[in-house]
Amino acid sequence: MNTTLYEKMGLRLGTTNLRLLFILIVMVIGLGLVEGDKLFAASGLRSMGFQLPELGFLALAMMIPMLSGGIDLSIIATANLCALTVAYTLTAFMPDAHGAMGGLVQLGALLLGLLLAAVVGLLNGVLVAYLRVPPMLATLGTMTTVKGLAIGISHGDVISGFPAPVVFIGNGTVAGIPFALIVFALAVIPLSIFVNKTPLGKSIAMIGSNERATFYSGIDTRRSLLWVYLISGIFAGIAGIIMMARFDSANAAYGESYLLVAILAAVLGGVDPLGGFGRVSGVILSLIILQMVSTASILLDLSQFITLALWGGILIAASGGVVAKAWLTERLKTRSKRAVGVRKAG
């Protein structure tokens, strides 16, 4: 049976990724004609490279719970709590630490922040997996609690002034490539392998498709869900550290609009909002598209609120597309069954 080039590429890349690539090409051509000299100049690409990792880690932190049929609304609060913990530790102990001791304090502060983010993830996992609290309610409660703790730690103030090695995480470059972008790339590869190739990754998608059937097939769904929210918490913590390092400051209210972007990147990237299907590659492509929209909006001097409105509109369109696709598929199946029934009757 002969297949077209489009069908072959769709089988290899996935129809969602193919659609995203087409959108990306159209955007590159369109924006290139309008703001190409600025957007695709070295400075413009570097700017996108510095901003994308924090959004990327948050989108991946959202993708894993959505793949399991859940959601994690606490990722921004977790990121800020992690950043504030690192910031508070550094400012409290660094003045008295020098040389090798200073390096140990910096490493210890980063690990402490990530540990706290992991604890928040585990708390979400226990609430969802063992206490059977709906993910939206569980993570909404965690978000409120964690944000309150973050404000309590900082008294609502901005903590700033970090050592150069920490600031390098968010602002440094290696061979002209932002260091944070390299960290993000190194995280994406193992996560993609984890989601697509490992038994735990496959079980997470199976839970999103049908948790009861997955349980009766012999998979420990509670343990799998615990891992889901643990990974989400750790990725949110990494995003918080990158954000803190890029701004050279930490605050309980940073990045609140990123929650919308994280959900949008996941849905636009082909992650089923009801769970069961999603690819890391699709999320990456959607992130590039959204980052390009954001950077182009800045260059075109559009209001930040206009950019938020654009993101919201894209989310509505992407979600509507998922629903319309499911409806159309169901309609085609129904028509096919009716046609078969008519033939048999005849």
Side-chain angles (χ1 to χ4, degrees):
M1 183 178 178
N2 294 327
T3 56
T4 64
L5 177 61
Y6 180 85
E7 290 172 334
K8 289 180 180 178
M9 291 179 67
L11 290 171
R12 182 176 293 274
L13 299 175
T15 53
T16 299
N17 286 359
L18 198 59
R19 184 176 70 248
L20 290 172
L21 278 172
F22 176 75
I23 293 171
L24 184 59
I25 291 170
V26 171
M27 285 185 62
V28 168
I29 294 172
L31 293 174
L33 294 173
V34 178
E35 289 287 344
D37 55 332
K38 296 178 182 177
L39 185 62
F40 300 117
S43 58
L45 293 174
R46 193 177 296 114
S47 174
M48 286 190 280
F50 278 119
Q51 294 176 49
L52 190 139
E54 62 200 44
L55 291 174
F57 275 111
L58 289 171
L60 295 178
M62 183 61 73
M63 173 194 170
I64 300 299
M66 288 183 69
L67 193 61
S68 71
I71 195 169
D72 189 350
L73 300 177
S74 67
I75 56 173
I76 306 301
T78 302
N80 285 328
L81 181 63
C82 174
L84 283 166
T85 302
V86 175
Y88 180 79
T89 306
L90 289 173
T91 53
F93 294 101
M94 276 307 294
D96 300 322
H98 304 282
M101 182 58 69
L104 288 174
V105 169
Q106 293 173 47
L107 179 60
L110 295 174
L111 292 176
L112 181 61
L114 288 176
L115 177 62
L116 202 57
V119 168
V120 175
L122 283 173
L123 175 59
N124 283 329
V126 169
L127 290 171
V128 173
Y130 290 91
L131 300 182
R132 310 309 297 171
V133 180
M136 182 173 290
L137 294 179
T139 58
L140 181 62
T142 308
M143 176 188 75
T144 307
T145 303
V146 169
K147 186 171 182 179
L149 287 173
I151 294 173
I153 289 173
S154 63
H155 302 290
D157 297 330
V158 174
I159 302 177
S160 60
F162 308 131
V166 173
V167 176
F168 180 84
I169 295 172
N171 294 283
T173 60
V174 177
I177 303 172
F179 178 73
L181 189 61
I182 295 173
V183 173
F184 179 61
L186 292 175
V188 162
I189 296 170
L191 182 66
S192 182
I193 294 171
F194 167 77
V195 169
N196 297 316
K197 303 295 183 182
T198 66
L200 178 57
K202 291 179 180 178
S203 70
I204 290 170
M206 289 171 64
I207 290 170
S209 296
N210 191 322
E211 183 176 354
R212 185 181 292 274
T214 304
F215 174 77
Y216 284 120
S217 69
I219 293 174
D220 188 345
T221 55
R222 292 186 298 183
R223 185 180 69 87
S224 298
L225 285 172
L226 200 65
W227 274 105
V228 163
Y229 288 95
L230 173 62
I231 294 169
S232 178
I234 292 172
F235 271 60
I238 296 172
I241 290 172
I242 292 174
M243 205 161 25
M244 176 201 77
R246 191 165 74 89
F247 298 149
D248 193 17
S249 63
N251 183 267
Y254 279 172
E256 291 185 339
S257 64
Y258 286 172
L259 183 62
L260 166 66
V261 185
I263 297 173
L264 172 55
V267 174
L268 184 64
V271 180
D272 191 330
L274 300 177
F277 179 79
R279 289 185 177 183
V280 174
S281 55
V283 175
I284 302 305
L285 284 171
S286 68
L287 278 168
I288 295 172
I289 290 171
L290 294 173
Q291 185 60 64
M292 198 174 293
V293 169
S294 176
T295 305
S297 298
I298 293 171
L299 292 175
L300 292 170
D301 199 26
L302 296 179
S303 167
Q304 178 186 358
F305 302 106
I306 296 296
T307 305
L308 281 173
L310 285 172
W311 283 339
I314 294 171
L315 178 58
I316 292 171
S319 303
V322 172
V323 173
K325 182 180 178 182
W327 178 82
L328 183 60
T329 302
E330 191 63 31
R331 291 276 294 180
L332 290 173
K333 284 182 180 178
T334 304
R335 286 185 180 181
S336 178
K337 288 179 181 178
R338 286 177 180 173
V340 171
V342 169
R343 288 196 202 99
K344 288 183 177 178

